[in-house]
Amino acid sequence: MLTLGQVLTLDDVERVRNGLARAPFRDGRATAGPTARKVKRNQQAVGADPEVEALARFIRDALLRHPVFAAYARPVAWSRIIFSRYGPGDTYGLHTDDAQMAAEDGGRLRTDMSFTLFLSDPETYEGGALLLDGLDGEREHRPQAGDAVLYATGRLHRVTPVTAGERLAAVGWLQSLIRRDDQRELLFDLERVRAGLPDGEARLLLDKSVGGLLRQWGEI
């Protein structure tokens, strides 16, 4: 689980919010699985709307430019990005995401990682925290607008009821080049070591090792 700071600038966030203000929304249960549908209560932007599709591409490109996201997630396939809106009384109870979903290109993907990119300033709404379940209990996330939380799909999680204001977020799923979490973490650590090395033999040997691991573990 990682928190990614400033995936979007303040100007980027305002651009997305302005676009969503013109977008049509519908009952969020339309995109939930049979179990999640029972505990989901929010609104979602209609994905086929041209402006919503353009905003989704904008979010995806911003994530790909973020150096931590690119080094850790290594996406090879994406779901359609969903924009969710929670008003007073809206919530999403404890659930887990589907192991497979429709891919952005019309095929199917294995959901290795999930992300929530927050689009509302935490001071403008009450409640609406993303709670992720782990071995140490639930951990709460209410970051600044423009920040994202990236986590392994399959973890139990929920969104607490919004009691005032409006919570906007972009959520999505991806299939990683690296299926296993431990292997993905090891490669991420090696990339961080590599970034601190000067040009020379040590960096070349590390490049060779990372390339070898990617060939062993990578699934395209």
Side-chain angles (χ1 to χ4, degrees), residues 132-172:
L132 289 167
D133 194 34
L135 295 177
D136 56 349
E138 287 187 324
R139 191 170 296 183
E140 179 177 312
H141 300 271
R142 287 182 89 253
Q144 295 296 314
D147 294 353
V149 179
L150 178 67
Y151 56 96
T153 306
R155 296 186 66 172
L156 290 171
H157 59 288
R158 61 191 176 102
V159 177
T160 62
V162 170
T163 57
E166 181 179 85
R167 176 195 190 267
L168 285 174
V171 297

Short mmCIF file of all heavy atoms in Angstrom, two decimals, residues 132-172:
data_model
loop_
_atom_site.label_atom_id
_atom_site.label_comp_id
_atom_site.label_asym_id
_atom_site.label_seq_id
_atom_site.Cartn_x
_atom_site.Cartn_y
_atom_site.Cartn_z
N LEU A 132 -8.79 0.70 4.75
CA LEU A 132 -8.21 -0.52 4.21
C LEU A 132 -7.87 -1.47 5.34
O LEU A 132 -7.20 -1.08 6.32
CB LEU A 132 -6.93 -0.20 3.41
CG LEU A 132 -7.14 0.52 2.09
CD1 LEU A 132 -5.82 1.05 1.56
CD2 LEU A 132 -7.78 -0.41 1.07
N ASP A 133 -8.32 -2.71 5.22
CA ASP A 133 -8.10 -3.71 6.27
C ASP A 133 -6.74 -4.36 6.06
O ASP A 133 -6.36 -4.71 4.94
CB ASP A 133 -9.21 -4.76 6.21
CG ASP A 133 -9.25 -5.63 7.45
OD1 ASP A 133 -8.96 -5.12 8.53
OD2 ASP A 133 -9.55 -6.83 7.32
N GLY A 134 -5.99 -4.53 7.15
CA GLY A 134 -4.70 -5.19 7.10
C GLY A 134 -4.48 -6.02 8.35
O GLY A 134 -5.35 -6.14 9.21
N LEU A 135 -3.29 -6.60 8.46
CA LEU A 135 -2.98 -7.43 9.62
C LEU A 135 -2.98 -6.63 10.91
O LEU A 135 -3.19 -7.18 11.99
CB LEU A 135 -1.62 -8.11 9.43
CG LEU A 135 -1.53 -9.12 8.27
CD1 LEU A 135 -0.12 -9.65 8.14
CD2 LEU A 135 -2.52 -10.26 8.48
N ASP A 136 -2.75 -5.31 10.80
CA ASP A 136 -2.73 -4.45 11.99
C ASP A 136 -4.06 -3.72 12.18
O ASP A 136 -4.14 -2.74 12.91
CB ASP A 136 -1.59 -3.45 11.90
CG ASP A 136 -1.65 -2.60 10.65
OD1 ASP A 136 -2.44 -2.93 9.74
OD2 ASP A 136 -0.90 -1.60 10.56
N GLY A 137 -5.11 -4.19 11.52
CA GLY A 137 -6.42 -3.55 11.62
C GLY A 137 -6.67 -2.61 10.46
O GLY A 137 -5.96 -2.62 9.46
N GLU A 138 -7.71 -1.79 10.60
CA GLU A 138 -8.06 -0.87 9.53
C GLU A 138 -7.19 0.39 9.59
O GLU A 138 -6.89 0.91 10.66
CB GLU A 138 -9.54 -0.47 9.64
CG GLU A 138 -10.50 -1.57 9.23
CD GLU A 138 -11.93 -1.09 9.19
OE1 GLU A 138 -12.30 -0.27 10.06
OE2 GLU A 138 -12.68 -1.55 8.31
N ARG A 139 -6.84 0.86 8.42
CA ARG A 139 -6.07 2.09 8.31
C ARG A 139 -6.88 3.11 7.51
O ARG A 139 -7.39 2.79 6.43
CB ARG A 139 -4.72 1.82 7.64
CG ARG A 139 -3.75 2.98 7.72
CD ARG A 139 -2.37 2.59 7.26
NE ARG A 139 -1.78 1.57 8.13
CZ ARG A 139 -0.55 1.10 7.96
NH1 ARG A 139 0.21 1.53 6.95
NH2 ARG A 139 -0.07 0.20 8.79
N GLU A 140 -6.98 4.32 8.01
CA GLU A 140 -7.84 5.35 7.42
C GLU A 140 -7.05 6.26 6.49
O GLU A 140 -5.91 6.65 6.79
CB GLU A 140 -8.48 6.18 8.53
CG GLU A 140 -9.37 7.29 8.02
CD GLU A 140 -10.05 8.03 9.16
OE1 GLU A 140 -10.61 7.36 10.05
OE2 GLU A 140 -10.04 9.29 9.15
N HIS A 141 -7.69 6.62 5.36
CA HIS A 141 -7.06 7.51 4.38
C HIS A 141 -8.05 8.60 3.99
O HIS A 141 -9.14 8.32 3.49
CB HIS A 141 -6.64 6.72 3.13
CG HIS A 141 -5.66 5.62 3.42
ND1 HIS A 141 -4.30 5.82 3.41
CD2 HIS A 141 -5.86 4.32 3.74
CE1 HIS A 141 -3.70 4.67 3.71
NE2 HIS A 141 -4.63 3.76 3.91
N ARG A 142 -7.63 9.85 4.21
CA ARG A 142 -8.37 11.03 3.75
C ARG A 142 -7.34 12.05 3.28
O ARG A 142 -7.19 13.12 3.86
CB ARG A 142 -9.25 11.63 4.85
CG ARG A 142 -10.49 10.83 5.19
CD ARG A 142 -11.33 11.52 6.27
NE ARG A 142 -12.32 12.44 5.72
CZ ARG A 142 -12.24 13.76 5.79
NH1 ARG A 142 -11.22 14.35 6.36
NH2 ARG A 142 -13.20 14.52 5.28
N PRO A 143 -6.61 11.74 2.22
CA PRO A 143 -5.52 12.63 1.80
C PRO A 143 -6.02 13.89 1.10
O PRO A 143 -7.22 14.09 0.90
CB PRO A 143 -4.71 11.76 0.84
CG PRO A 143 -5.72 10.83 0.26
CD PRO A 143 -6.70 10.56 1.38
N GLN A 144 -5.06 14.73 0.73
CA GLN A 144 -5.38 15.96 0.02
C GLN A 144 -5.86 15.66 -1.39
O GLN A 144 -5.54 14.62 -1.98
CB GLN A 144 -4.14 16.86 -0.04
CG GLN A 144 -3.66 17.36 1.32
CD GLN A 144 -4.68 18.25 2.00
OE1 GLN A 144 -5.25 19.15 1.36
NE2 GLN A 144 -4.92 18.02 3.29
N ALA A 145 -6.63 16.58 -1.95
CA ALA A 145 -7.06 16.46 -3.34
C ALA A 145 -5.82 16.40 -4.23
O ALA A 145 -4.88 17.18 -4.07
CB ALA A 145 -7.93 17.64 -3.73
N GLY A 146 -5.83 15.45 -5.16
CA GLY A 146 -4.68 15.24 -6.05
C GLY A 146 -3.79 14.10 -5.63
O GLY A 146 -2.95 13.65 -6.42
N ASP A 147 -3.95 13.61 -4.39
CA ASP A 147 -3.18 12.46 -3.92
C ASP A 147 -3.94 11.17 -4.20
O ASP A 147 -5.17 11.17 -4.33
CB ASP A 147 -2.92 12.56 -2.41
CG ASP A 147 -2.01 13.72 -2.04
OD1 ASP A 147 -1.47 14.38 -2.96
OD2 ASP A 147 -1.85 13.98 -0.84
N ALA A 148 -3.21 10.07 -4.28
CA ALA A 148 -3.83 8.77 -4.57
C ALA A 148 -3.33 7.72 -3.58
O ALA A 148 -2.22 7.82 -3.05
CB ALA A 148 -3.51 8.31 -5.99
N VAL A 149 -4.16 6.72 -3.35
CA VAL A 149 -3.79 5.55 -2.55
C VAL A 149 -3.78 4.34 -3.48
O VAL A 149 -4.76 4.08 -4.18
CB VAL A 149 -4.77 5.32 -1.38
CG1 VAL A 149 -4.38 4.09 -0.58
CG2 VAL A 149 -4.80 6.55 -0.47
N LEU A 150 -2.67 3.64 -3.50
CA LEU A 150 -2.47 2.47 -4.37
C LEU A 150 -2.31 1.25 -3.48
O LEU A 150 -1.50 1.25 -2.55
CB LEU A 150 -1.21 2.67 -5.21
CG LEU A 150 -0.77 1.57 -6.16
CD1 LEU A 150 -1.77 1.39 -7.31
CD2 LEU A 150 0.62 1.89 -6.72
N TYR A 151 -3.10 0.20 -3.75
CA TYR A 151 -3.06 -0.97 -2.86
C TYR A 151 -3.38 -2.23 -3.64
O TYR A 151 -3.96 -2.19 -4.73
CB TYR A 151 -4.03 -0.80 -1.69
CG TYR A 151 -5.47 -0.52 -2.08
CD1 TYR A 151 -6.42 -1.54 -2.16
CD2 TYR A 151 -5.89 0.78 -2.37
CE1 TYR A 151 -7.73 -1.29 -2.52
CE2 TYR A 151 -7.19 1.05 -2.72
CZ TYR A 151 -8.11 0.01 -2.79
OH TYR A 151 -9.40 0.28 -3.16
N ALA A 152 -2.99 -3.36 -3.07
CA ALA A 152 -3.22 -4.64 -3.71
C ALA A 152 -4.71 -4.95 -3.74
O ALA A 152 -5.39 -4.87 -2.71
CB ALA A 152 -2.47 -5.75 -2.97
N THR A 153 -5.23 -5.28 -4.90
CA THR A 153 -6.63 -5.66 -5.02
C THR A 153 -6.87 -6.95 -4.23
O THR A 153 -6.02 -7.84 -4.21
CB THR A 153 -7.00 -5.87 -6.49
OG1 THR A 153 -6.66 -4.70 -7.23
CG2 THR A 153 -8.49 -6.15 -6.66
N GLY A 154 -8.02 -7.04 -3.62
CA GLY A 154 -8.34 -8.21 -2.80
C GLY A 154 -8.40 -7.87 -1.33
O GLY A 154 -8.98 -8.63 -0.54
N ARG A 155 -7.83 -6.74 -0.94
CA ARG A 155 -7.92 -6.32 0.45
C ARG A 155 -9.34 -5.86 0.75
O ARG A 155 -9.98 -5.16 -0.05
CB ARG A 155 -6.96 -5.18 0.75
CG ARG A 155 -5.49 -5.56 0.60
CD ARG A 155 -4.58 -4.45 1.03
NE ARG A 155 -4.69 -4.18 2.47
CZ ARG A 155 -3.88 -3.36 3.12
NH1 ARG A 155 -2.92 -2.73 2.48
NH2 ARG A 155 -4.02 -3.18 4.41
N LEU A 156 -9.85 -6.24 1.90
CA LEU A 156 -11.14 -5.73 2.34
C LEU A 156 -11.02 -4.23 2.59
O LEU A 156 -10.04 -3.76 3.18
CB LEU A 156 -11.60 -6.45 3.61
CG LEU A 156 -12.00 -7.92 3.45
CD1 LEU A 156 -12.21 -8.55 4.82
CD2 LEU A 156 -13.25 -8.05 2.60
N HIS A 157 -12.01 -3.49 2.13
CA HIS A 157 -11.98 -2.04 2.32
C HIS A 157 -13.40 -1.49 2.28
O HIS A 157 -14.33 -2.16 1.86
CB HIS A 157 -11.10 -1.37 1.25
CG HIS A 157 -11.55 -1.61 -0.16
ND1 HIS A 157 -11.42 -2.82 -0.79
CD2 HIS A 157 -12.16 -0.79 -1.06
CE1 HIS A 157 -11.90 -2.74 -2.02
NE2 HIS A 157 -12.37 -1.52 -2.20
N ARG A 158 -13.52 -0.24 2.72
CA ARG A 158 -14.83 0.41 2.73
C ARG A 158 -14.66 1.92 2.72
O ARG A 158 -13.54 2.43 2.98
CB ARG A 158 -15.65 -0.01 3.96
CG ARG A 158 -15.03 0.35 5.31
CD ARG A 158 -15.77 -0.33 6.45
NE ARG A 158 -15.16 -0.09 7.74
CZ ARG A 158 -15.62 0.78 8.64
NH1 ARG A 158 -16.69 1.51 8.37
NH2 ARG A 158 -15.03 0.93 9.82
N VAL A 159 -15.72 2.61 2.38
CA VAL A 159 -15.77 4.07 2.46
C VAL A 159 -16.80 4.42 3.52
O VAL A 159 -17.97 4.03 3.42
CB VAL A 159 -16.15 4.70 1.11
CG1 VAL A 159 -16.26 6.22 1.24
CG2 VAL A 159 -15.11 4.34 0.04
N THR A 160 -16.37 5.14 4.55
CA THR A 160 -17.28 5.48 5.64
C THR A 160 -18.34 6.48 5.16
O THR A 160 -18.13 7.20 4.18
CB THR A 160 -16.52 6.08 6.83
OG1 THR A 160 -15.88 7.30 6.41
CG2 THR A 160 -15.46 5.11 7.34
N PRO A 161 -19.50 6.51 5.81
CA PRO A 161 -20.58 7.41 5.36
C PRO A 161 -20.13 8.87 5.34
O PRO A 161 -19.46 9.35 6.26
CB PRO A 161 -21.68 7.18 6.39
CG PRO A 161 -21.42 5.81 6.92
CD PRO A 161 -19.93 5.66 6.94
N VAL A 162 -20.50 9.55 4.27
CA VAL A 162 -20.30 11.00 4.20
C VAL A 162 -21.44 11.65 5.00
O VAL A 162 -22.61 11.33 4.79
CB VAL A 162 -20.31 11.49 2.74
CG1 VAL A 162 -20.35 13.01 2.68
CG2 VAL A 162 -19.08 10.96 2.00
N THR A 163 -21.09 12.54 5.90
CA THR A 163 -22.09 13.19 6.75
C THR A 163 -22.33 14.64 6.37
O THR A 163 -23.33 15.22 6.79
CB THR A 163 -21.68 13.10 8.23
OG1 THR A 163 -20.38 13.70 8.40
CG2 THR A 163 -21.61 11.64 8.67
N ALA A 164 -21.41 15.21 5.59
CA ALA A 164 -21.60 16.59 5.13
C ALA A 164 -20.67 16.82 3.94
O ALA A 164 -19.60 16.21 3.83
CB ALA A 164 -21.28 17.60 6.23
N GLY A 165 -21.09 17.70 3.02
CA GLY A 165 -20.26 18.02 1.87
C GLY A 165 -20.35 16.97 0.78
O GLY A 165 -21.28 16.16 0.73
N GLU A 166 -19.34 16.99 -0.09
CA GLU A 166 -19.31 16.08 -1.23
C GLU A 166 -17.90 15.52 -1.42
O GLU A 166 -16.93 16.28 -1.39
CB GLU A 166 -19.75 16.81 -2.50
CG GLU A 166 -19.79 15.95 -3.74
CD GLU A 166 -20.26 16.71 -4.96
OE1 GLU A 166 -19.42 17.37 -5.62
OE2 GLU A 166 -21.48 16.66 -5.26
N ARG A 167 -17.83 14.21 -1.61
CA ARG A 167 -16.56 13.53 -1.82
C ARG A 167 -16.50 13.03 -3.26
O ARG A 167 -17.29 12.20 -3.69
CB ARG A 167 -16.42 12.34 -0.86
CG ARG A 167 -15.17 11.48 -1.04
CD ARG A 167 -15.39 10.18 -0.29
NE ARG A 167 -14.21 9.35 -0.16
CZ ARG A 167 -13.88 8.36 -1.00
NH1 ARG A 167 -14.62 8.14 -2.09
NH2 ARG A 167 -12.82 7.62 -0.77
N LEU A 168 -15.53 13.55 -4.03
CA LEU A 168 -15.29 13.10 -5.40
C LEU A 168 -13.98 12.33 -5.44
O LEU A 168 -13.00 12.70 -4.78
CB LEU A 168 -15.18 14.30 -6.35
CG LEU A 168 -16.47 15.04 -6.74
CD1 LEU A 168 -16.11 16.27 -7.55
CD2 LEU A 168 -17.39 14.13 -7.53
N ALA A 169 -13.96 11.26 -6.23
CA ALA A 169 -12.74 10.46 -6.36
C ALA A 169 -12.75 9.75 -7.71
O ALA A 169 -13.81 9.52 -8.31
CB ALA A 169 -12.62 9.44 -5.23
N ALA A 170 -11.56 9.39 -8.18
CA ALA A 170 -11.40 8.53 -9.35
C ALA A 170 -10.85 7.20 -8.86
O ALA A 170 -9.88 7.18 -8.09
CB ALA A 170 -10.45 9.16 -10.36
N VAL A 171 -11.47 6.11 -9.28
CA VAL A 171 -11.01 4.79 -8.85
C VAL A 171 -10.78 3.93 -10.09
O VAL A 171 -11.44 4.09 -11.11
CB VAL A 171 -12.03 4.11 -7.90
CG1 VAL A 171 -12.19 4.91 -6.63
CG2 VAL A 171 -13.38 3.94 -8.58
N GLY A 172 -9.83 3.01 -9.97
CA GLY A 172 -9.54 2.12 -11.09
C GLY A 172 -8.72 0.93 -10.65
O GLY A 172 -8.28 0.83 -9.49
#
